[in-house]
Amino acid sequence: MTRNIADIRRDYEGGRLDETQLPDHPLALFDDWLALALDAEGEDGNAMTLATVDSQGRPHARVVLLKAADEQGLVFYSNYHSHKGSELANVPYAALVFWWPSLSRQVRVEGPVEQVGEKESDAYFASRPRASQLGAWVATQSVVIPDRNWLEEREARFEQAYEGQEIPRPVHWGGYRLVPEMIEFWQGQPSRLHDRIRFERRDDHWQRFRLAP
Ligand SMILES: Cc1cc2nc3c(=O)[nH]c(=O)nc-3n(C[C@H](O)[C@H](O)[C@H](O)COP(=O)(O)O)c2cc1C
């Protein structure tokens, strides 16, 4: 390793998170933070780490893209037969983490996960560029394949099969919605005295706590 990562130290700076100024619903705050993050981080601002657990309770994490967020939940799209798809079928619960370095902000979201309705997946699939639509057919996500050629040949076959036609959404590809039960906002501050405000859903309302950093 060329650089000693143990010696890297950064003093985080950001506006204070003052609970008296925050909205009652955490999704309103999330919306504000996401809008700023998309400006600050460019097109990667909607990238988030998704952690799921398998049937033995072992966690697995990977990055996916947030495609919608409202009071119903946070939506991402994937292959229902992928590793994450099998994990969510077994244990329909997940955690999401956003890290926006230029704002010194982290958001954690946890809750149950459900598949979005077919119409919603169809509408999003139809909005994707044709190459991405084809990719949903070509990529048998998470399956071991012999080499890259295998992928390219498969792509050529699907391209031919759908030439001049609309590409339908594969039934094994669609959206997931994480319905938040917990959302935590972390704002980096100097001297490691970071602000952490956590919202927990209690039936029909949200309770707010400040946590030690
Ligand atoms: C920036 C970025 C964005 C990604 N977005 C998605 C996505 O929206 N959906 C998806 O299925 N995989 C996405 N991936 C790929 C996943 O990280 C992962 O490799 C893939 O979903 C297979 O994961 P699994 O085998 O655990 O199911 C993205 C990867 C990166 C680095």
Side-chain angles (χ1 to χ4, degrees):
M1 204 181 301
T2 51
R3 217 173 140 191
N4 183 356
I5 54 173
D7 286 342
I8 298 176
R9 282 188 187 85
R10 167 178 167 208
D11 220 4
Y12 298 105
E13 297 262 359
R16 285 282 156 81
L17 252 187
D18 172 359
E19 43 275 75
T20 62
Q21 306 293 316
L22 297 181
D24 290 335
H25 201 296
L27 255 305
L29 183 57
F30 178 77
D31 256 6
D32 291 348
W33 278 34
L34 179 65
L36 284 174
L38 290 172
D39 284 343
E41 308 286 348
E43 290 182 351
D44 289 332
N46 63 332
M48 55 190 185
T49 298
L50 162 74
T52 50
V53 286
D54 65 25
S55 48
Q56 277 132 38
R58 294 185 188 156
H60 303 274
R62 78 291 281 159
V63 172
V64 294
L65 296 177
L66 176 72
K67 288 294 169 180
D70 58 24
E71 294 190 5
Q72 316 300 312
L74 279 70
V75 175
F76 58 92
Y77 287 84
S78 194
N79 184 312
Y80 291 150
H81 295 166
S82 62
H83 287 166
K84 78 183 82 49
S86 317
E87 284 146 21
L88 287 170
N90 270 316
V91 184
Y93 204 87
L96 297 169
V97 183
F98 296 84
W99 166 231
W100 295 312
S102 49
L103 300 171
S104 303
R105 285 178 171 178
Q106 170 184 251
V107 177
R108 297 168 53 177
V109 188
E110 295 170 4
V113 179
E114 58 195 26
Q115 289 185 3
V116 309
E118 298 207 349
K119 281 196 179 138
E120 195 174 338
S121 287
D122 285 342
Y124 175 68
F125 188 80
S127 77
R128 302 182 91 205
R130 193 171 169 87
S132 309
Q133 292 178 336
L134 210 56
W137 284 99
V138 174
T140 49
Q141 199 175 60
S142 312
V143 166
V144 175
I145 56 172
D147 51 30
R148 193 175 168 87
N149 258 353
W150 183 91
L151 270 186
E152 287 171 3
E153 280 168 20
R154 207 172 141 81
E155 184 182 38
R157 256 187 290 134
F158 275 103
E159 228 161 34
Q160 208 175 22
Y162 286 117
E163 203 181 340
Q165 296 173 47
E166 261 185 35
I167 301 176
R169 176 178 65 86
V171 287
H172 61 264
W173 190 98
Y176 287 102
R177 174 174 284 106
L178 186 149
V179 181
E181 285 182 341
M182 189 291 289
I183 307 190
E184 187 193 305
F185 298 86
W186 184 100
Q187 174 70 68
Q189 297 292 348
S191 310
R192 302 292 183 259
L193 296 183
H194 312 304
D195 288 322
R196 285 180 70 186
I197 303 291
R198 186 179 175 105
F199 291 77
E200 289 182 13
R201 188 152 52 88
R202 302 265 188 269
D203 300 320
D204 59 347
H205 71 282
W206 288 90
Q207 256 185 356
R208 202 170 54 201
F209 309 90
R210 175 174 284 267
L211 301 185

